[in-house]
Amino acid sequence: MAASAKDSRNLTAPPPPRPATPRSRASAKGEQTRARLIAAARTLLAGELGERFTTRNVAALCGVSHGMCHYHFQDRTDLVLAVVEDIRPEWVLPLEEAVAAPGTFAERAERVLALLDGPESTDLAHLHSALHWHALNDERVRESLAAEYRRWRACFVALFQVLADERGGGIDPRPLGEAVAAAVDGLAAVESLEAGIEDGAVLRTLVRTLAAGV
């Protein structure tokens, strides 16, 4: 009898999920509003109205009150920092994933080069320019953006660490990775002024030459 009762309890269907509480619905709505404010901040920063980047204008573009904007972000700097974090999946994370995925140095390098050979969106290019300008005028933005670039450059160092491991050590991956990162930055700056440079071919030659030289 005891076994039958136990079996009966095991067959009982689990209780239905609890309905969303007012608090959870409010939290979800708050996250949506925050995401909309960040999207509006991106639009202003990347567009021709960058000089009008204020919390009041972001709120107006988002369609919420100025007070609501300050509920989520204390000031303009907080909004800029949120944008810095928001664009990470568009340039840092793909590079980290390309390096971390399994494969030889040559295979990982090819994945990285394929990413870098793709055209950068105009929106992202304008955002980087705007963020650099804010970094020159705001210490908090400078520290945040510098941390993102350190993380980005570390991907190239990690790539050459794979080469060092393959060749049994004796190779310092840091200057090699930093050299490629500097070349990528320089080519991006030149290409922003003069389109048509075959940066993919230049970077591929650089990576192969460095790898062969060590």
Side-chain angles (χ1 to χ4, degrees), residues 118-188:
E120 184 179 40
S121 70
T122 303
D123 174 73
L124 189 57
H126 288 173
L127 274 174
H128 276 295
S129 296
L131 292 174
H132 276 282
W133 185 88
H134 281 278
L136 292 173
N137 297 276
D138 191 309
E139 183 65 19
R140 290 171 60 202
V141 176
R142 189 196 67 77
E143 291 176 357
S144 177
L145 196 58
E148 295 296 304
Y149 272 96
R150 282 195 298 272
R151 183 168 170 174
W152 181 78
R153 292 196 308 272
C155 295
F156 298 97
V157 176
L159 175 64
F160 279 93
Q161 181 62 59
V162 175
L163 181 66
D165 294 341
E166 287 180 356
R167 302 203 178 166
I171 297 174
D172 184 356
R174 182 163 298 281
L176 299 172
E178 293 284 1
V180 175
V184 174
D185 271 342
L187 284 169

Side-chain angles (χ1 to χ4, degrees), residues 95 99 105 108-110 112-113 116 149 152-161 163 172-188 199-200 202-211 214:
L95 196 61
V99 174
F105 167 79
R108 299 184 200 212
E110 194 55 42
V112 168
L113 290 167
L116 299 175
Y149 272 96
W152 181 78
R153 292 196 308 272
C155 295
F156 298 97
V157 176
L159 175 64
F160 279 93
Q161 181 62 59
L163 181 66
D172 184 356
R174 182 163 298 281
L176 299 172
E178 293 284 1
V180 175
V184 174
D185 271 342
L187 284 169
D199 51 352
V202 173
L203 291 174
R204 188 167 276 100
T205 300
L206 175 61
V207 170
R208 290 175 177 174
T209 302
L210 289 174
V214 297

Side-chain angles (χ1 to χ4, degrees), residues 11 35 47 53 55 69 82 86 94 117 119 130 133 140 154-156 181 186 197 200:
L11 293 174
F53 181 72
T55 54
C69 182
D86 190 64
D117 200 20
W133 185 88
R140 290 171 60 202
C155 295
F156 298 97
I197 296 177

Side-chain angles (χ1 to χ4, degrees), residues 3 5 15 21 24 39 48 52-53 63-64 69-71 74 90 97 106 116-118 149 157 173 196-197 210:
T21 63
S24 64
E48 296 178 357
R52 295 177 55 190
F53 181 72
V64 300
C69 182
H70 279 285
Y71 174 81
Q74 182 176 352
E90 298 171 43
E97 292 167 359
L116 299 175
D117 200 20
Y149 272 96
V157 176
I197 296 177
L210 289 174

Side-chain angles (χ1 to χ4, degrees), residues 20-34:
T21 63
R23 184 182 184 87
S24 64
R25 285 195 296 268
S27 177
K29 186 176 180 181
E31 286 302 312
Q32 291 173 1
T33 301
R34 187 178 188 278

